[in-house]
Amino acid sequence: MHSILRRRGLLAATLAASLLGGIAGGAQAQDNKNTVKVGISVGNAEQIFEVVKKVAAKDGLTVQVVVFNDYQLPNAALAAGDLDANAFQHQPFLDNQIKARGFDLVPVGLTITAPLGFYSKKLKSIDQLPEGAAVGIQNDPSNGNRALLLLQQAGLITLKPEAVKNNTATPLDVVTNPKKLKLVPLDAAQLPRSLDDLAIAAINNDYAEKAGLSFNKDAVIKESPKGPYANLIAVRRADKDKPWAKRLVAAYQSPEVRSFIETQFKGALVPAF
């Protein structure tokens, strides 16, 4: 009887060890996986990631790209586990999304800076902006703040100092508006399509490129490329030290990608690494 119990005990222990080994092996395989799914936004990121994919492939890492046309979706997809990483946003945008939606996401590496511009179909120079003009800005907190700061930089409005300091400016923080501009908050993706109805509009670089607009040639107000809005690669916090995450960052921050960005975009995009 005791012998039977001992054999049963050994069998159970062996089975448990086998199961644990399988779980551990699966976790290790997940840590060292060689295929990653990355969310990006439409436009120039698609071109850049064609180079990233080639560089990553040399290291045995397959990068699968998922293209989004809405800034609100890539972080939700990453948090839900539908992506392994995303590369479309700067730190202020990520901070706002974490605060608003509770995502547990962290940056693991910088990519590019995409200077923001105001564009127009009606004006060749910002000096031509008429009184009472309709001015489009993004309706998300981070990019809306950024657009308002750029309007202040151009001398068109003045914002409350506290809002500027905290990067939280909204149209309610405008304290002087000499030209009586009408600020029109819209979804970032809608702004290029709304240029017929607006005097000028703040348009993020990826949407501007998709609309055939050139930052260097067409923007009537230009943000400095040395500002605080460097884009980044984000992952779930649990994945920040995984080998595949480091390999993805290394592929992006490679000399080949740097050379492509500098040659292809000629200052409209700037490597942030």
Side-chain angles (χ1 to χ4, degrees), residues 91 94 98 105-110 232-235 240:
Q91 188 67 54
L94 177 58
I98 290 170
L105 308 177
V106 296
V108 289
L110 297 177
L232 52 86
I233 296 171
V235 300
K240 68 183 180 68

Side-chain angles (χ1 to χ4, degrees), residues 147-216:
L148 290 169
L149 292 177
L150 194 50
L151 288 175
Q152 177 170 266
Q153 176 188 310
L156 294 169
I157 62 172
T158 303
L159 298 163
K160 294 177 182 176
E162 193 68 17
V164 173
K165 179 182 177 182
N166 295 327
N167 282 313
T168 57
T170 73
L172 296 175
D173 295 305
V174 175
V175 291
T176 65
N177 183 0
K179 284 183 174 286
K180 299 180 174 58
L181 302 176
K182 299 172 184 175
L183 299 175
V184 183
L186 294 170
D187 183 82
Q190 292 181 6
L191 286 164
R193 300 192 293 270
S194 302
L195 279 176
D196 288 333
D197 302 316
L198 301 166
I200 59 173
I203 302 177
N204 293 84
N205 194 285
D206 43 5
Y207 291 133
E209 180 172 324
K210 189 181 179 185
L213 299 168
S214 165
F215 177 80
N216 289 327

Side-chain angles (χ1 to χ4, degrees), residues 114-149:
L116 182 67
F118 273 87
Y119 297 82
S120 177
K121 285 189 175 181
K122 302 176 176 70
L123 314 177
K124 295 296 182 184
S125 166
I126 197 61
D127 295 333
Q128 300 171 338
L129 188 67
E131 185 169 325
V135 176
I137 64 171
Q138 298 89 334
N139 64 2
D140 66 86
S142 175
N143 284 304
N145 166 75
R146 189 178 177 185
L148 290 169
L149 292 177

